[in-house]
């Protein structure tokens, strides 16, 4: 048992907060501080959202005497979320993490390895529970005037809620990977699971947005019937869920204690069974799991001759970078797909019931403001579109993680017979291409919804080049100074790389630098296009000159 907790501590430090930042110790300290500040901001924001929504929901249910449904609803949703995301976490942490190859030769029983990895998985799940489930439970306790016993049982319940769903997810995953090849293709699984998680998040956002169109009576009826259905489902699949609800809603202290005791008993039994099954299922399923699958293909003479045909070094390198982004699931999800999600976020409010009712009145009013003779609305639209271009091009992180994605094979960039300038420009052009495509999608939606005149479309397109090129040129400068090359998992190159955050920040600065003066000074459309379109290109040329000047020195200084 002592080895289990020691191993869990080492695994959490190796794959958790300690891995944030870059490769140098000083940079890592600054990176950890910046990441903690970012996480704290996101956590505070989410806690405020969940607390506000649960207060409104409590006030909606209380007049009908249904406020206890709030407890069942959030505990059931929390249990289901732990199970669904637990399956993804279990496969990633148990089988695909970089420490697997180091742990297997050690004289450790499977129960200790699984127990330690289960604790690491639970630690990440607790972060979600503390942000998404704990605020509503606290709101219920405050609004209902519950005593100290409620809060003690609340902490007890939140601690034990993830045990049953995580154990069930672990057993299911170990059975699947022991007897079937369903998830043994690492790249395919990462892509499918990432898309599934993103789809669930979008469905949750869309469902929350759609609820605003219901009346109070309809919403109360839906929540009441829906909560009963969800509670029955979670009680059937996860027997501890009903005990968790009972420990918080029972009328007497004795009943609450009994329900809490049964929850502990069920959780301990689930954990015992999981650790026992790990000895039989884990080792046979994890061996060989780190290899990526590839199909062999026989080439004929014509294909061999074509494969050996020479071409432009620049475009060959450009295609290589693009293919890596497309074929590596983590890079595809975080660098490419994110550029195409913003149009979906734009459309979600329009697809809700409340927006559909006022859409017919909204579109003519917007058209009147944009197409007015004075051009003020059009000038604001041009400035806003430049900000959108900077934001989308800066958030994809393609340029600001270009060197980090090379990882420990960065030295190849130094030895191949191709100038460093061409390699860097090829990487920047890949980011610019994805930025252009991602920025054109909102423009297409804008054209379909509002049907603007040709002159306005041309004005918007005039500011597009600077809005795309400038974030990519500036983003790669951070990489030249602080690349994150020592990683054993692709996620660390992009998701735990602060250069991506810096690239996002500088792109927002550039957007404000050109868009805000045009709006504040109330420039006409022509001057707005000249200021933003020509000014951003001139600044891009200055950044490019700086980049080419520091490039040789910085490339020589970088060591993987």
């Amino acid at each position: 048992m002592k080895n289990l907790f020691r191993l869990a501590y080492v695994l959490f430090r190796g794959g958790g907060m300690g891995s944030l930042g870059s490769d140098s110790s000083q940079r890592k300290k600054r990176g950890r501080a910046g990441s903690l500040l970012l996480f704290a901001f996101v956590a505070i924001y989410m806690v405020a959202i969940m607390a506000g929504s649960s207060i409104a929901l409590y006030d909606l249910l209380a007049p009908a005497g249904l406020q206890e449904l709030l407890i069942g609803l959030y505990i059931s949703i929390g249990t289901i979320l732990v199970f669904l995301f637990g399956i993804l976490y279990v496969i990633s942490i148990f089988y695909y993490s970089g420490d697997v190859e180091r742990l297997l030769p050690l004289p450790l029983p499977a129960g200790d390895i699984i127990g330690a990895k289960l604790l690491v998985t639970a630690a990440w799940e607790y972060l979600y529970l503390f942000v998404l489930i704990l605020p509503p439970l606290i709101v219920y306790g405050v609004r209902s005037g519950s005593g100290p016993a409620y809060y003690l049982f609340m902490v007890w319940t939140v601690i034990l809620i993830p045990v049953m769903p995580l154990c069930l997810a672990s057993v299911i995953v170990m059975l699947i990977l022991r007897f079937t090849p369903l998830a043994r293709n690492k790249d395919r699984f990462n892509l499918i699971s990432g898309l599934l998680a993103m789809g669930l998040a979008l469905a949750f956002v869309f469902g929350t947005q759609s609820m605003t169109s219901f009346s109070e009576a309809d919403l109360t009826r839906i929540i009441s019937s829906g909560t009963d259905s969800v509670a029955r489902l979670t009680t059937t699949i996860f027997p501890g869920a009903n005990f968790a609800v009972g420990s918080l809603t029972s009328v007497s202290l004795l009943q609450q204690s009994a329900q809490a005791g049964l929850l502990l008993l069920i959780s301990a039994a689930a954990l015992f069974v999981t650790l026992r099954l790990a000895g039989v299922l884990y080792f046979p399923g994890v061996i060989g799991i780190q290899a990526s699958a590839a199909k062999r293909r026989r080439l004929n003479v014509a294909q061999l001759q074509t494969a050996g045909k020479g071409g432009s070094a620049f475009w060959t390198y450009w295609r290589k970078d693009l293919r890596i982004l497309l074929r590596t699931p983590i890079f595809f999800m975080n660098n490419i797909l994110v550029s195409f999600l913003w149009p979906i976020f734009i459309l979600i409010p329009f697809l809700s019931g409340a927006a559909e009712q006022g859409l017919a009145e909204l579109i003519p009013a917007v058209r009147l403001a944009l197409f007015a003779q004075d051009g003020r609305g059009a000038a604001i639209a041009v400035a806003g579109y430049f900000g959108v271009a900077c934001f989308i091009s800066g958030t994809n992180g393609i340029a600001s993680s270009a060197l980090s994605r090379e990882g420990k094979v960065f030295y190849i960039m130094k030895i191949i017979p191709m100038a460093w300038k061409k390699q860097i420009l090829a990487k920047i052009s890949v980011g610019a291409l994805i930025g252009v495509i991602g920025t054109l999608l909102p423009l297409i939606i804008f054209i379909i919804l509002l049907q603007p005149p040709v002159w306005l479309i041309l004005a918007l397109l005039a500011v597009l080049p600077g809005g795309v090129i400038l974030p990519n040129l500036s983003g790669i400068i951070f990489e030249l100074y602080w690349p994150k090359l020592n990683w054993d998992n692709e996620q660390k190159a992009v998701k735990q790389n602060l250069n991506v955050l810096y690239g996002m920040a500088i792109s927002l600065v550039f957007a404000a630098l050109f868009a805000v003066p045009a709006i504040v000074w109330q420039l006409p459309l022509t001057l707005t296009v000249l200021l933003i379109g020509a000014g951003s290109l001139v600044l891009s040329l200055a950044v490019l000159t700086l980049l080419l000047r520091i490039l040789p020195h910085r490339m020589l200084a970088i060591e993987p």
Side-chain angles (χ1 to χ4, degrees), residues 254-290:
L254 181 61
Q255 291 177 339
Q256 287 181 302
S257 302
Q259 296 286 337
L262 291 174
L263 177 61
L264 175 63
L265 184 61
I266 278 241
S267 302
L271 187 60
F272 176 79
V273 172
T274 301
L275 296 180
R276 287 298 181 183
L277 288 177
V280 180
L281 302 175
Y282 182 64
F283 283 147
V286 76
I287 295 175
I289 200 72
Q290 292 287 327

Side-chain angles (χ1 to χ4, degrees), residues 151-173:
Y151 297 99
L152 292 176
F153 286 114
M154 179 189 69
V155 174
W156 180 264
T157 300
V158 172
I159 291 175
L160 294 180
I161 280 176
V163 177
M164 173 59 75
L166 269 183
C167 288
L168 182 59
S170 303
V171 172
I172 291 175
V173 169

Side-chain angles (χ1 to χ4, degrees), residues 122-145:
W124 292 109
E125 295 280 9
Y126 280 130
L127 294 179
Y128 293 108
L129 289 179
F130 291 160
V131 170
L132 300 178
I133 306 302
L134 194 57
L137 297 183
I138 295 176
V139 166
Y140 176 86
V142 173
R143 299 305 290 268
S144 62

Side-chain angles (χ1 to χ4, degrees), residues 348-477:
I348 283 177
F350 292 101
L351 295 178
S352 65
E356 288 178 359
Q357 296 174 4
L359 195 59
E361 294 80 10
L362 177 64
I363 290 180
V366 173
R367 287 173 57 88
L368 181 63
L370 289 179
F371 311 152
Q373 294 295 328
D374 58 4
R376 288 295 307 130
I380 294 175
V382 169
Y385 186 63
F386 177 79
V388 170
C390 288
F391 178 76
I392 292 178
S393 300
T395 53
N396 63 35
I398 294 177
S400 52
S401 64
L403 302 184
S404 297
R405 293 195 304 270
E406 299 289 337
K408 296 179 181 179
V409 297
F410 170 80
Y411 67 89
I412 294 178
M413 293 184 63
K414 293 189 173 185
I415 63 176
I416 61 174
M418 184 177 179
W420 292 337
K421 180 176 73 173
K422 291 185 177 180
Q423 296 184 53
I424 295 299
L425 291 179
K427 292 179 178 294
I428 291 174
S429 61
V430 172
L433 172 68
I434 303 302
V436 167
I437 297 175
T439 309
L440 285 176
L441 291 179
L443 180 59
I444 293 173
I445 296 174
F446 175 80
I447 293 173
I448 293 174
L449 288 177
L450 299 178
Q451 300 177 356
V454 176
W455 59 265
L456 180 55
I457 297 176
L458 294 177
L460 294 172
L461 291 175
V463 302
L464 177 60
V468 170
I469 295 173
L470 194 54
N472 284 280
L473 286 173
S474 57
I476 206 165
I477 292 179

Side-chain angles (χ1 to χ4, degrees), residues 331-350:
F331 298 158
F332 177 78
M333 295 287 298
N334 291 275
N335 297 121
I336 298 241
L337 192 59
V338 69
S339 298
F340 306 105
L341 289 178
W342 299 114
I344 298 177
F345 295 146
I346 293 173
L347 285 175
I348 283 177
F350 292 101

Side-chain angles (χ1 to χ4, degrees), residues 33-52:
S35 299
L36 289 175
L37 288 175
L38 178 63
F39 291 156
F41 172 78
V42 174
I44 293 172
Y45 174 79
M46 291 302 300
V47 166
I49 292 294
M50 296 305 297

